Amino acid sequence: MDGKLHAVIGAGTGVAVAQSIGMEPVETAVLMGAGIIAGLVPDLDTAGKLANKISLSHKMIQGFVRTTGILAGAYAWFGLSGYAMYIGLALGIFLLLIAPKFSQKLMLLISGVAVIAAGLAMSEIWVWLSGSYVAGAALVAHRSYTHSIIGLIFFAIIAFYVNERFAMEGLFWTLVLGYASHLLADMRFIPGNKRGIKLFLPFSQKGV
């Protein structure tokens, strides 16, 4: 399903939770935002728009590394001599060769590790758990573990600690139900979802 539809469904989840507990418009808007985020999170296992928003663009990093390699090589050729020149040229060539290796998946992994480090430094459990989710999402195939019961349970743990930190009524269930809505919308019984999701990984590879 398209990301925009997942966002709309997630927002609807937030509104539904807010209405069920009689929240004011401002709090309802907050839960809508939380629902949108939760509804998009499972697709962090793709190199899509959500991954781009929480990590540096891999194209920008590739361009930076290439430019650095060219400058290093030019400086070595025109400004150095002897072994220093060869070392500089080798460095420039090396940077040019590794530039294509900086994929969105790698940037997502690096971002996740950075969030883990920040969470540990701040002693915020929900932050380093979120970083762990992001880093893990970068390492798994699309529609695998982030689209499974295990992914939902892990996100529910994150949601628990988010709720503990911000203590907002309805926040926990908005996050959990928003995430679950994404899994439901990607199941085979929804038109256009021939692939479905492997809900019971790693115990079953069968799509539902």
Side-chain angles (χ1 to χ4, degrees), residues 123-176:
S123 298
E124 290 281 4
I125 298 176
W126 73 273
V127 175
W128 66 258
L129 280 176
S130 297
S132 299
Y133 183 100
V134 171
L139 299 174
V140 300
H142 182 41
R143 290 200 180 190
S144 58
Y145 284 95
T146 63
H147 288 66
S148 71
I149 292 293
I150 287 180
L152 176 60
I153 292 172
F154 190 86
F155 187 78
I157 294 171
I158 296 173
F160 171 81
Y161 284 106
V162 169
N163 190 63
E164 286 283 296
R165 177 66 177 82
F166 297 101
M168 181 178 182
E169 188 178 7
L171 181 57
F172 172 79
W173 285 111
T174 296
L175 291 172
V176 172

Side-chain angles (χ1 to χ4, degrees), residues 75-196:
Y75 176 73
W77 182 259
F78 294 107
L80 300 175
S81 61
Y83 287 114
M85 180 184 73
Y86 292 116
I87 291 173
L89 288 172
L91 175 61
I93 293 171
F94 173 74
L95 291 175
L96 288 173
L97 290 175
I98 68 167
K101 301 298 183 182
F102 285 86
S103 64
Q104 190 60 54
K105 286 284 189 181
L106 177 59
M107 299 314 301
L108 193 63
L109 176 60
I110 292 172
S111 298
V113 172
V115 173
I116 293 172
L120 293 174
M122 296 186 298
S123 298
E124 290 281 4
I125 298 176
W126 73 273
V127 175
W128 66 258
L129 280 176
S130 297
S132 299
Y133 183 100
V134 171
L139 299 174
V140 300
H142 182 41
R143 290 200 180 190
S144 58
Y145 284 95
T146 63
H147 288 66
S148 71
I149 292 293
I150 287 180
L152 176 60
I153 292 172
F154 190 86
F155 187 78
I157 294 171
I158 296 173
F160 171 81
Y161 284 106
V162 169
N163 190 63
E164 286 283 296
R165 177 66 177 82
F166 297 101
M168 181 178 182
E169 188 178 7
L171 181 57
F172 172 79
W173 285 111
T174 296
L175 291 172
V176 172
L177 294 176
Y179 192 103
S181 74
H182 185 115
L183 305 191
L184 187 65
D186 276 351
M187 289 183 180
R188 281 181 176 172
F189 72 89
I190 301 296
N193 286 334
K194 294 181 179 180
R195 180 179 179 184

Side-chain angles (χ1 to χ4, degrees), residues 8-20:
V8 170
I9 296 171
T13 301
V15 172
V17 172
Q19 291 299 310
S20 71

Side-chain angles (χ1 to χ4, degrees), residues 62-84:
Q62 287 177 357
F64 175 78
V65 173
R66 286 194 183 98
T67 301
T68 303
I70 292 170
L71 291 175
Y75 176 73
W77 182 259
F78 294 107
L80 300 175
S81 61
Y83 287 114

Side-chain angles (χ1 to χ4, degrees), residues 6-7 9-11 13-14 30-40 174-175 178-179:
H6 282 304
I9 296 171
T13 301
V30 172
L31 291 188
M32 282 180 64
I36 290 171
I37 293 171
L40 293 173
T174 296
L175 291 172
Y179 192 103

